[in-house]
Amino acid sequence: MGKRYTIALDAMGGDHGPDVVVPAAFGALAESTDVDLVLVGNEPAIDAALRLVSSASDPRISILHASQSVEMDDSPSQVLRSKQDSSMRVAIDLVRDGKADACVSAGNTGALMAMARFVLKTLPGIDRPAIISELPTAKGHTHVLDLGANVESTSRHLFEFAVMGSELVSAVDDIERPKVGLLNVGQEGIKGNERVKEAARLLASSNLHYIGFVEGDDIYAGTVDVVVCDGFVGNVALKSSEGVARMISGLMREEFGRSLSSRVAGLLARPVLRRLAGRMDPRSYNGASFVGLRGIVIKSHGRADVVAFKRAIMEAVAEIRKNVPERISERIASVLLEKEAV
């Protein structure tokens, strides 16, 4: 019998709680025969959701009761002090104690990061963890970090983000030397603040496949595998992109419904539009990873539906199978040795 993996799911997190987490769990298990899931949260609520999805129990699913839940407006400090028996905290504790290989939550991002960092700690050589996620491009996808964990980052932090992002992409996408770009206001070396310029110097002298500065439109061009920036810039870029996507989708629906001829054109274009929607469906890219921790923590979007939350679970599965934290730790250690030798 092969190795089995266990993932702890914060069943109470996000806007929908067990109503989304439970059916997503069954969907993930249908694709992963080597995975067990622990649903953490209010046991009666989870039981009720399980009965709605399946009349038969699945031995690969277990429930661990937690008496508290983290609300979306809870402050991270409040959660750390007073919600030690929350579904989020208990799920992370399972990872710390070696009873789960990863944790997935759609809950409060700030609270999840604070708890994960407090409980799991950062890897040796990593000062700050970062949030990384996959985004669609014209040629497939890219990964961007940091997406909001660190609104202020030094040049050294940006360098660490690049190392972590490169190793994660190398692992999950099987790219030997991912192309790494540093997000800037221009591609010329003279542009940007001193922090970004110093990060560029650090990257240029490393053994990463650093291709130089990239601009905002390069994120979606498909020419770079990892885009590095601080959390303030990354979060603004992400939310701006989501807003543009929603606007375009709304305008297209409005225009195709404007007249009879437009509706006919819409019907004719439906196969193409359906394929396009599939390529750009944000649910297909749900599941941001908190890299730099001594364990795997995946953040799902708070409004995720069943398809999106299942995608977050599958991201956890991929990172477990590829030993991402261990690979990042080894890569950071080799980078530190390289710097000492210079």
PDB file of all heavy atoms in Angstrom, residues 178-190:
ATOM      1  N   PRO A 178      12.681  28.025 -13.541  1.00  0.00           N
ATOM      2  CA  PRO A 178      11.620  28.984 -13.861  1.00  0.00           C
ATOM      3  C   PRO A 178      12.183  30.383 -14.085  1.00  0.00           C
ATOM      4  O   PRO A 178      13.139  30.814 -13.417  1.00  0.00           O
ATOM      5  CB  PRO A 178      10.728  28.955 -12.606  1.00  0.00           C
ATOM      6  CG  PRO A 178      11.060  27.672 -11.927  1.00  0.00           C
ATOM      7  CD  PRO A 178      12.497  27.406 -12.214  1.00  0.00           C
ATOM      8  N   LYS A 179      11.591  31.099 -15.034  1.00  0.00           N
ATOM      9  CA  LYS A 179      11.996  32.479 -15.306  1.00  0.00           C
ATOM     10  C   LYS A 179      11.376  33.397 -14.255  1.00  0.00           C
ATOM     11  O   LYS A 179      10.164  33.390 -14.048  1.00  0.00           O
ATOM     12  CB  LYS A 179      11.559  32.894 -16.706  1.00  0.00           C
ATOM     13  CG  LYS A 179      12.317  32.201 -17.812  1.00  0.00           C
ATOM     14  CD  LYS A 179      11.811  32.578 -19.186  1.00  0.00           C
ATOM     15  CE  LYS A 179      10.488  31.893 -19.472  1.00  0.00           C
ATOM     16  NZ  LYS A 179      10.035  32.117 -20.873  1.00  0.00           N
ATOM     17  N   VAL A 180      12.211  34.189 -13.611  1.00  0.00           N
ATOM     18  CA  VAL A 180      11.790  35.063 -12.515  1.00  0.00           C
ATOM     19  C   VAL A 180      11.920  36.517 -12.942  1.00  0.00           C
ATOM     20  O   VAL A 180      12.984  36.929 -13.432  1.00  0.00           O
ATOM     21  CB  VAL A 180      12.633  34.816 -11.246  1.00  0.00           C
ATOM     22  CG1 VAL A 180      12.211  35.765 -10.127  1.00  0.00           C
ATOM     23  CG2 VAL A 180      12.518  33.364 -10.801  1.00  0.00           C
ATOM     24  N   GLY A 181      10.850  37.290 -12.767  1.00  0.00           N
ATOM     25  CA  GLY A 181      10.882  38.716 -13.069  1.00  0.00           C
ATOM     26  C   GLY A 181      10.515  39.533 -11.845  1.00  0.00           C
ATOM     27  O   GLY A 181       9.716  39.100 -11.010  1.00  0.00           O
ATOM     28  N   LEU A 182      11.103  40.709 -11.725  1.00  0.00           N
ATOM     29  CA  LEU A 182      10.831  41.613 -10.610  1.00  0.00           C
ATOM     30  C   LEU A 182       9.920  42.737 -11.096  1.00  0.00           C
ATOM     31  O   LEU A 182      10.276  43.473 -12.027  1.00  0.00           O
ATOM     32  CB  LEU A 182      12.155  42.180 -10.085  1.00  0.00           C
ATOM     33  CG  LEU A 182      12.144  42.979  -8.779  1.00  0.00           C
ATOM     34  CD1 LEU A 182      11.604  42.148  -7.625  1.00  0.00           C
ATOM     35  CD2 LEU A 182      13.561  43.466  -8.454  1.00  0.00           C
ATOM     36  N   LEU A 183       8.732  42.845 -10.504  1.00  0.00           N
ATOM     37  CA  LEU A 183       7.745  43.824 -10.953  1.00  0.00           C
ATOM     38  C   LEU A 183       8.230  45.240 -10.654  1.00  0.00           C
ATOM     39  O   LEU A 183       8.625  45.553  -9.528  1.00  0.00           O
ATOM     40  CB  LEU A 183       6.403  43.562 -10.260  1.00  0.00           C
ATOM     41  CG  LEU A 183       5.182  44.276 -10.833  1.00  0.00           C
ATOM     42  CD1 LEU A 183       4.937  43.899 -12.286  1.00  0.00           C
ATOM     43  CD2 LEU A 183       3.937  43.954  -9.995  1.00  0.00           C
ATOM     44  N   ASN A 184       8.174  46.102 -11.695  1.00  0.00           N
ATOM     45  CA  ASN A 184       8.706  47.453 -11.558  1.00  0.00           C
ATOM     46  C   ASN A 184       7.894  48.396 -12.451  1.00  0.00           C
ATOM     47  O   ASN A 184       7.044  47.962 -13.229  1.00  0.00           O
ATOM     48  CB  ASN A 184      10.192  47.468 -11.950  1.00  0.00           C
ATOM     49  CG  ASN A 184      10.927  48.692 -11.456  1.00  0.00           C
ATOM     50  OD1 ASN A 184      10.387  49.509 -10.709  1.00  0.00           O
ATOM     51  ND2 ASN A 184      12.172  48.845 -11.871  1.00  0.00           N
ATOM     52  N   VAL A 185       8.176  49.688 -12.361  1.00  0.00           N
ATOM     53  CA  VAL A 185       7.455  50.682 -13.154  1.00  0.00           C
ATOM     54  C   VAL A 185       8.030  50.801 -14.565  1.00  0.00           C
ATOM     55  O   VAL A 185       7.557  51.605 -15.369  1.00  0.00           O
ATOM     56  CB  VAL A 185       7.476  52.063 -12.463  1.00  0.00           C
ATOM     57  CG1 VAL A 185       6.686  52.014 -11.168  1.00  0.00           C
ATOM     58  CG2 VAL A 185       8.906  52.533 -12.198  1.00  0.00           C
ATOM     59  N   GLY A 186       9.045  50.029 -14.864  1.00  0.00           N
ATOM     60  CA  GLY A 186       9.639  50.010 -16.194  1.00  0.00           C
ATOM     61  C   GLY A 186      10.679  48.906 -16.258  1.00  0.00           C
ATOM     62  O   GLY A 186      11.099  48.376 -15.236  1.00  0.00           O
ATOM     63  N   GLN A 187      11.093  48.553 -17.456  1.00  0.00           N
ATOM     64  CA  GLN A 187      12.075  47.475 -17.610  1.00  0.00           C
ATOM     65  C   GLN A 187      13.513  47.972 -17.577  1.00  0.00           C
ATOM     66  O   GLN A 187      14.439  47.179 -17.414  1.00  0.00           O
ATOM     67  CB  GLN A 187      11.810  46.735 -18.926  1.00  0.00           C
ATOM     68  CG  GLN A 187      10.476  46.005 -18.954  1.00  0.00           C
ATOM     69  CD  GLN A 187      10.277  45.197 -20.219  1.00  0.00           C
ATOM     70  OE1 GLN A 187      11.088  45.272 -21.143  1.00  0.00           O
ATOM     71  NE2 GLN A 187       9.217  44.411 -20.267  1.00  0.00           N
ATOM     72  N   GLU A 188      13.699  49.276 -17.720  1.00  0.00           N
ATOM     73  CA  GLU A 188      15.053  49.833 -17.715  1.00  0.00           C
ATOM     74  C   GLU A 188      15.667  49.767 -16.321  1.00  0.00           C
ATOM     75  O   GLU A 188      14.991  49.968 -15.313  1.00  0.00           O
ATOM     76  CB  GLU A 188      15.044  51.282 -18.193  1.00  0.00           C
ATOM     77  CG  GLU A 188      14.515  51.465 -19.612  1.00  0.00           C
ATOM     78  CD  GLU A 188      13.006  51.567 -19.683  1.00  0.00           C
ATOM     79  OE1 GLU A 188      12.338  51.405 -18.635  1.00  0.00           O
ATOM     80  OE2 GLU A 188      12.498  51.788 -20.799  1.00  0.00           O
ATOM     81  N   GLY A 189      16.951  49.495 -16.274  1.00  0.00           N
ATOM     82  CA  GLY A 189      17.651  49.343 -15.000  1.00  0.00           C
ATOM     83  C   GLY A 189      17.656  50.572 -14.129  1.00  0.00           C
ATOM     84  O   GLY A 189      17.815  50.471 -12.905  1.00  0.00           O
ATOM     85  N   ILE A 190      17.479  51.757 -14.729  1.00  0.00           N
ATOM     86  CA  ILE A 190      17.530  52.997 -13.952  1.00  0.00           C
ATOM     87  C   ILE A 190      16.201  53.282 -13.250  1.00  0.00           C
ATOM     88  O   ILE A 190      16.123  54.176 -12.402  1.00  0.00           O
ATOM     89  CB  ILE A 190      17.893  54.198 -14.847  1.00  0.00           C
ATOM     90  CG1 ILE A 190      16.842  54.384 -15.952  1.00  0.00           C
ATOM     91  CG2 ILE A 190      19.292  54.036 -15.424  1.00  0.00           C
ATOM     92  CD1 ILE A 190      16.999  55.662 -16.732  1.00  0.00           C
TER      93      ILE A 190
END
